[in-house]
């Protein structure tokens, strides 16, 4: 029984206005490192403990003039990927 299993990376769709969303703490951190100035909004899960990644996200956001907003985890999951938000999400202007 040698079945091939293939996995496709999920690509976030561009929104109507040309912006895109990123869900997940590590993905948000990577995106902020490369294009913090194009970040339009940033949301973090309420009650999430601040570790090194969240501290770095907050610092990068503030340096770009953003104030991270807190949101309940179910709201983040709806906005940023149906359970894939993992405690954070961001919206970026189109490239």
């Amino acid at each position: 029984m040698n079945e091939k299993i293939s996995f496709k990376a999920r690509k976030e769709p561009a929104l109507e206005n040309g912006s895109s969303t990123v869900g997940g703490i590590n993905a948000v951190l990577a995106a902020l490192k490369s294009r913090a100035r194009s970040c339009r909004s940033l949301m973090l899960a309420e009650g999430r403990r601040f570790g090194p990644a969240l501290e770095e996200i907050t610092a990068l956001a503030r340096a770009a003039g953003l104030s991270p907003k807190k949101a309940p985890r179910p709201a983040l999951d709806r906005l940023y990927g149906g359970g894939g938000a993992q405690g954070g999400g961001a919206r970026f202007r189109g490239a």
Side-chain angles (χ1 to χ4, degrees):
M1 189 162 206
N2 292 333
E3 291 182 40
K4 277 191 166 182
I5 300 174
S6 64
F7 296 94
K8 291 184 180 179
R10 189 177 94 193
K11 184 178 178 184
E12 297 294 334
L15 302 175
E16 288 179 19
N17 59 4
S19 64
S20 61
T21 62
V22 175
I25 294 299
N26 292 327
V28 168
L29 179 56
L32 283 173
K33 284 180 177 180
S34 67
R35 54 186 179 141
R37 295 274 177 215
S38 68
C39 187
R40 299 175 73 189
S41 65
L42 173 64
M43 296 178 80
L44 301 173
E46 291 175 337
R48 172 109 186 189
R49 291 188 187 144
F50 271 74
L54 287 176
E55 289 175 10
E56 190 172 0
I57 286 170
T58 302
L60 288 168
R62 290 202 174 123
L66 291 168
S67 295
K69 295 178 175 68
K70 297 287 184 174
R73 187 175 290 270
L76 284 172
D77 289 342
R78 281 192 304 275
L79 288 170
Y80 300 107
Q86 302 168 355
R91 181 167 286 160
F92 292 85
R93 284 189 296 273

